[in-house]
Amino acid sequence: GETDEDWKETMRFVESLPLTYLHVFGYSDRPGTVASALLPKVAPEKIAERGRELRALGLKKKAGFRETLEGAMLSGLVLQQMTGDGRLVALTGNYQEVAVAEADEDWVNRFVPLRLMSVRDDGVWEGEPA
């Protein structure tokens, strides 16, 4: 039964929060539940549209967060995972994937200080050991 005004308030609220990732899914009616008996219902098309809007806002907030990280020094756990060009991947404490330039295989399963240089199109950071 979320009204258009309720939806606008939700969007304003999410916009105001320092969120960096949104996991968005639409309401799915389950017969026999308390929520299923509530009226009025929101049309499935409107649920899908609102989901798209919220996901777009999430991408905008994620991009804004990433902009604040360029040039930052972070500690990253070096994984056994490798990029397509053979570089090791590290994962920072704030869940940023980093393709590490000139990584040493001995670093696997260890934390290494990294400088985040730039974000690639696939969302992985180009990084170098500090």
Side-chain angles (χ1 to χ4, degrees):
E2 181 181 55
T3 67
D4 288 342
E5 190 52 45
D6 292 336
W7 173 246
K8 289 175 188 173
E9 183 178 339
T10 296
M11 290 293 284
R12 286 190 299 269
F13 180 65
V14 172
E15 179 86 49
S16 74
L17 296 173
L19 302 173
T20 60
Y21 176 79
L22 301 179
H23 181 83
V24 179
F25 53 93
Y27 169 77
S28 180
D29 199 51
R30 299 287 187 248
T33 64
V34 173
S36 182
L38 298 175
L39 295 175
K41 302 282 186 196
V42 176
E45 300 80 24
K46 187 163 277 207
I47 292 171
E49 176 185 336
R50 290 174 177 174
R52 285 189 297 274
E53 289 176 20
L54 196 52
R55 284 183 195 90
L57 177 56
L59 290 174
K60 177 182 166 192
K61 293 185 79 59
K62 185 177 188 176
F65 171 65
R66 285 190 165 172
E67 286 177 13
T68 69
L69 296 176
E70 190 164 338
M73 296 284 297
L74 297 175
S75 180
L77 176 63
V78 179
L79 310 174
Q80 288 182 331
Q81 174 185 343
M82 298 188 98
T83 62
D85 61 0
R87 290 184 288 162
L88 287 168
V89 174
L91 188 64
T92 67
N94 57 4
Y95 302 103
Q96 302 300 301
E97 284 189 49
V98 183
V100 184
E102 302 175 27
D104 186 322
E105 298 257 345
D106 292 338
W107 295 352
V108 172
N109 295 325
R110 294 196 175 150
F111 285 94
V112 174
L114 301 168
R115 181 175 305 281
L116 304 185
M117 305 306 290
S118 61
V119 178
R120 303 183 326 192
D121 289 340
D122 64 359
V124 175
W125 280 94
E126 294 284 348
E128 57 187 33

